Amino acid sequence: MTDSLRVLILDDDFRVGQLHRDIIDDQPGFTALEPVRSIDEARERLRSSTPDLLVADVFLPDGDGIALVREAGVDAILISAADDGPTVRRALRSGAVGYLMKPFERRALTNLLDRYSRYRNLLAGERPLRQEDTDRALAILHGSSEPVSVSRSATEQLVLAALGDGEASAAEVGERVGISRATAQRHLAALAARTVVEVRLRYGATGRPEHRYAVRA
């Protein structure tokens, strides 16, 4: 995706809202809007700014963050000190793509944002999707590098499609397919061993070679 994903933050604590804003703004591919502190303010901002993602607390002085997510019709991450099963299940039923329990480390939010970005990337556009595409997007969103329902051959087909007529590194292939660099490297090595792809060395400014892969003609 070339455009940043716009994120609206809802938290009644001004300091917490600003902290989340700083984390999101530091995450590549994301832009945080000015945080809001109430349900009514969030409703107005959702109408006027049409964000891509809502990051909201569950318990707010003027209402329920979960109910807002259900009515908003926008992807959302819910954040709460509530650690009981019924609240978490209610949050997921509302359509939230993630749930973080307070207190959490900065990397918990950045990791979730990264997975969400890759999930959005895989489901972007109007192209028809295969079951493997959907399985992979859900697996990434939920923190798994590869869905168990996707066979090795299906993954390799995605890797080959990502290479196309050009060449790419394992990291570039992983980004295009929505898998980790290590997973892409493993599949590329297997394809190279079967001479389906060829390995090329490219030397950069540092003089260190980079492995590039291309489909054999």
Side-chain angles (χ1 to χ4, degrees):
M1 294 175 295
T2 56
D3 296 331
S4 292
L5 294 170
R6 302 167 73 248
V7 184
L8 177 63
I9 302 156
L10 168 59
D11 198 296
D12 63 304
D13 187 321
F14 173 80
R15 293 166 299 178
V16 173
Q18 290 298 324
L19 177 62
H20 292 165
R21 178 184 182 177
D22 291 343
I23 293 173
I24 291 167
D25 267 340
D26 285 343
Q27 185 74 4
F30 288 86
T31 299
L33 304 175
E34 184 65 29
V36 295
R37 301 176 63 183
S38 70
I39 294 286
D40 285 343
E41 195 177 357
R43 286 193 180 108
E44 174 58 32
R45 192 69 64 80
L46 285 165
R47 287 192 295 268
S48 62
S49 302
T50 59
D52 300 291
L53 179 67
L54 171 66
V55 175
D57 200 352
V58 170
F59 301 114
L60 296 148
D62 64 335
D64 177 26
I66 295 177
L68 175 66
V69 169
R70 186 181 299 113
E71 75 176 58
V74 63
D75 290 342
I77 294 171
L78 284 163
I79 295 175
S80 178
D83 59 3
D84 60 287
T87 298
V88 175
R89 291 196 303 273
R90 191 165 66 90
L92 297 177
R93 282 199 305 270
S94 75
V97 297
Y99 187 97
L100 291 177
M101 296 178 188
K102 295 180 179 179
F104 57 85
E105 295 183 3
R106 178 189 182 101
R107 64 181 179 182
L109 179 54
T110 60
N111 287 343
L112 181 51
L113 290 171
D114 177 65
R115 296 200 306 271
Y116 174 72
S117 176
R118 293 163 60 200
Y119 157 86
R120 282 282 297 244
N121 191 41
L122 283 173
L123 300 184
E126 301 296 329
R127 64 182 176 86
L129 296 172
R130 299 173 302 175
Q131 185 62 51
E132 290 88 349
D133 300 323
T134 304
D135 290 344
R136 185 171 301 284
L138 291 172
I140 288 171
L141 183 62
H142 297 145
S144 173
S145 60
E146 275 192 77
V148 295
S149 61
V150 177
S151 67
R152 177 68 61 85
S153 61
T155 304
E156 288 181 351
Q157 289 173 19
L158 292 173
V159 168
L160 291 171
L163 285 173
D165 296 328
E167 65 177 40
S169 66
E172 290 168 340
V173 169
E175 182 178 1
R176 294 171 189 173
V177 175
I179 58 179
S180 69
R181 179 192 177 282
T183 300
Q185 178 69 58
R186 187 170 68 249
H187 288 295
L188 287 164
L191 289 165
R194 302 202 307 269
T195 68
V196 178
V197 303
E198 61 180 334
V199 184
R200 303 170 180 173
L201 293 180
R202 292 288 182 270
Y203 290 85
T206 62
R208 298 180 61 184
E210 178 188 46
H211 287 85
R212 311 281 294 181
Y213 299 86
V215 178
R216 279 188 180 275

